[in-house]
Amino acid sequence: MATAPSTRWHRLAVLSALMLAAFTFNTTENLPIGLLNLISADVQVSLSAVGYLVTAYGLTVALVSLPLAQATRSMPRRHVLTVLLAALVLSSLISALGSSYWLLMIARLVTALAQALFWAVMGPVAVGLFPPAVRGRVIGVLSVAGSLALVLGVPLGTWLGQQSTWQVPLIVLAGLGLASLLTIAVLLPTSRPEEGHAAYGSAPDKRRFQIVLATTALSATGAFAGYTYLVKFLGDVSGFSDTSVSALLMVSGIAGVVGVTIAGPLLDRYPRGTLALPVATQAAGMLSLYAFGSAPAGAVACLVLLGGSLGPVFMATQNQMLRFAPGRTEIALAANSGAYNAGIAGGALLGGLVLPAWNVRATFLMGGLLTVTSLAVLLTERMLPPAEQSRPAESDRTVDSSPAEHR
């Protein structure tokens, strides 16, 4: 039974559809941030209530990623992705057509359920389309697509909503989801999920898997302890105007896209270094903002460091999950996604506790120290004996047998 589309054109078309889906899911998740005032006025709820649409979405992804991956582990990936994208399309349309806050909340939770499983199965499917030697580059282009949601998707969706109504961007997102759905339904073969070289870790190692998972959770908690309150920091500490802050957020997003674009091609050659370096950069960016953020020029430089590190950290942990997964890779990726989203929620909560007790600068100090802790945890991996690069091949799959990189 085929495990990948038969021609290069088909493989690239499926990869493009997965990239579009990643962009659409990420834009859908964060779009209420840009449409906050419009949604609040139309459905007659507070700004905080609209903010809860984002909070509930992230918490749902954190809680259900692993259980959903376990429940669907035997289902063909084409069927799973088709259902997930259908849920994205329908929930986006329901969100656009409904006028009730609670209907909007329920529709977004359905989308969050779909996104939770999408991130778990997307990586192995995309990587399985191409030779094992380029899996890092494949993860890289998927990460670029996801990062573009914040740089292009949310700003364009916000602009479109301001020119019309907040429902129109959701209809556009439903159309993008439908395009991805049709491409995957037609071109992705129906194969058993355990087939192919991406179904299992290329160098399975439970201890290294646990170290990377802890790094994900700690680094995300540290990042969002401060990043959640970045707008307040740039205004109160750095002295930027509201207009300047919006531009700086765009600069941060662009730095993130540049970061994943640079790091992606390096994942295959230096998988360890392309995780340790962005974690260290994140720590430097947060601690430097605490120390030098009162100077506008220093704040901009530190913001570029921080923005440029966030995407590569998650991308590199995903790549390491594909290496060290002790079992099926989609289960490992689901655990990593859950840890990351739990870190986002936990970081925002921690920052919210630090903020009134001290000040907004202290949120970046706390976040920086947590990131340093995550780097220390990551470096303990170097004390372990070398990981085996491959496991014995089984009848329905192959694995990457290239030498492990331990630099």
Side-chain angles (χ1 to χ4, degrees):
M1 183 178 296
T3 59
S6 57
T7 69
R8 178 176 173 80
W9 182 87
H10 285 171
R11 292 194 295 270
L12 291 175
V14 173
L15 179 62
S16 298
L18 291 171
M19 293 172 63
L20 180 61
F23 172 84
T24 305
F25 268 118
N26 275 11
T27 302
T28 300
E29 178 178 6
N30 294 286
L31 188 59
I33 296 173
L35 301 176
L36 202 69
N37 291 327
L38 294 175
I39 297 175
S40 173
D42 189 46
V43 300
Q44 298 181 342
V45 296
S46 68
L47 293 177
S48 297
V50 179
Y52 294 152
L53 295 174
V54 178
T55 303
Y57 195 110
L59 287 175
T60 299
V61 174
L63 292 173
V64 305
S65 292
L66 191 55
L68 284 179
Q70 291 279 11
T72 60
R73 61 183 300 169
S74 63
M75 298 180 183
R77 303 294 90 174
R78 181 169 73 92
H79 297 167
V80 171
L81 286 169
T82 300
V83 170
L84 297 180
L85 290 168
L88 169 63
V89 172
L90 291 176
S91 59
S92 296
L93 290 175
I94 291 172
S95 297
L97 298 176
S99 57
S100 162
Y101 172 78
W102 289 109
L103 182 61
L104 181 59
M105 174 67 83
I106 292 171
R108 280 187 59 81
L109 292 181
V110 171
T111 308
L113 290 172
Q115 180 167 331
L117 186 55
F118 173 79
W119 286 113
V121 303
M122 172 191 68
V125 168
V127 168
L129 298 172
F130 299 93
V134 298
R135 61 170 50 185
R137 274 170 278 181
V138 175
I139 292 294
V141 298
L142 292 173
S143 298
V144 170
S147 299
L148 284 174
L150 293 178
V151 179
L152 294 178
V154 173
L156 288 176
T158 301
W159 176 84
L160 183 58
Q162 292 169 342
Q163 303 307 309
S164 51
T165 65
W166 63 267
Q167 291 93 342
V168 171
L170 294 175
I171 295 174
V172 172
L173 290 172
L176 296 179
L178 181 61
S180 299
L181 165 63
L182 294 175
T183 302
I184 289 171
V186 171
L187 296 181
L188 185 65
T190 303
S191 57
R192 297 199 304 272
E194 66 273 15
E195 291 179 337
H197 65 81
Y200 295 86
S202 58
D205 189 309
K206 185 176 182 180
R207 291 175 297 176
R208 285 182 165 83
F209 164 78
Q210 292 170 339
I211 288 172
V212 174
L213 196 64
T215 301
T216 297
L218 285 169
S219 63
T221 303
F224 286 90
Y227 200 80
T228 305
Y229 306 96
L230 180 62
V231 171
K232 181 174 178 60
F233 182 96
L234 293 174
D236 293 358
V237 178
S238 305
F240 289 106
S241 66
D242 291 344
T243 303
S244 298
V245 167
S246 298
L248 288 173
L249 292 177
M250 181 68 73
V251 169
S252 176
I254 293 172
V257 174
V258 172
V260 295
T261 301
I262 293 173
L266 301 175
L267 288 173
D268 295 309
R269 295 183 62 189
Y270 310 108
R272 293 169 70 180
T274 45
L275 176 53
L277 181 58
V279 173
T281 303
Q282 177 184 307
M286 300 201 72
L287 293 175
S288 296
L289 271 171
Y290 167 75
F292 309 115
S294 57
V300 172
C302 298
L303 182 61
V304 169
L305 283 179
L306 179 58
S309 65
L310 295 180
V313 169
F314 183 67
M315 176 183 68
T317 59
Q318 294 286 86
N319 186 60
Q320 292 293 66
M321 289 291 121
L322 290 171
R323 296 181 70 214
F324 298 140
R328 291 269 291 277
T329 51
E330 75 268 20
I331 304 300
L333 291 170
N336 196 54
S337 178
Y340 187 79
N341 281 276
I344 292 174
L349 176 61
L350 177 62
L353 295 174
V354 169
L355 185 63
W358 288 281
N359 52 49
V360 70
R361 287 183 67 191
T363 64
F364 282 85
L365 175 60
M366 180 66 70
L369 293 176
L370 275 172
T371 307
V372 170
T373 302
S374 74
L375 180 61
V377 169
L378 177 62
L379 293 178
T380 64
E381 186 264 337
R382 295 175 181 267
M383 302 177 186
L384 299 178
E388 297 181 6
Q389 180 61 21
S390 62
R391 55 193 295 163
E394 296 172 6
S395 57
D396 290 321
R397 60 181 177 83
T398 61
V399 296
D400 180 8
S401 59
S402 59
E405 183 272 321
H406 297 295
R407 300 183 186 180

